[in-house]
């Protein structure tokens, strides 16, 4: 019974990742299709690279914050602090 729930969890994670990839591809195609972007925005490949770079930076920052939080909780539980 537990293997079914693990399979479902893996399937849901894969589905979420695929949806994020589709959203990124749609966003990239919209960036490439704009011929005259608003001031301050980049079009084409530069816009894709810039947007992907900011998304990855946000993901890395969030992961670092979670790792820091988990490490502090482990320290509290271990009685180190």
């Amino acid at each position: 019974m537990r293997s079914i729930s693990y399979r479902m969890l893996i399937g849901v994670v894969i589905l979420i990742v695929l949806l994020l990839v589709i959203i990124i591809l749609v966003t990239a195609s919209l960036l490439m299709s704009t011929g005259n972007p608003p001031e301050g925005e980049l079009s084409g490949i530069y816009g894709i690279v810039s947007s992907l770079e900011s998304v990855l930076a946000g993901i890395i920052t969030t992961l670092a914050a979670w790792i820091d939080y988990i490490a502090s909780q482990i320290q509290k539980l271990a009685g180190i602090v």
Side-chain angles (χ1 to χ4, degrees):
M1 196 68 151
R2 293 187 105 170
S3 64
I4 294 173
S5 64
Y6 287 128
R7 288 181 185 171
M8 186 179 296
L9 180 64
I10 291 171
V12 168
V13 168
I14 291 173
L15 181 66
I16 290 171
V17 169
L18 287 175
L19 286 173
L20 287 174
V21 168
I22 289 171
I23 290 170
I24 288 173
L25 289 175
V26 168
T27 304
S29 66
L30 288 174
L31 279 172
M32 290 182 74
S33 69
T34 58
N36 188 13
E39 187 175 332
E41 289 188 18
L42 300 171
S43 65
I45 300 299
Y46 297 113
I48 294 171
V49 171
S50 175
S51 64
L52 288 178
E53 182 181 6
S54 65
V55 166
L56 290 175
I59 290 171
I60 291 171
T61 304
T62 304
L63 286 175
W66 272 101
I67 290 171
D68 185 43
Y69 173 75
I70 291 170
S72 67
Q73 293 300 318
I74 291 172
Q75 286 178 347
K76 285 180 184 177
L77 289 175
I80 295 172
V81 176

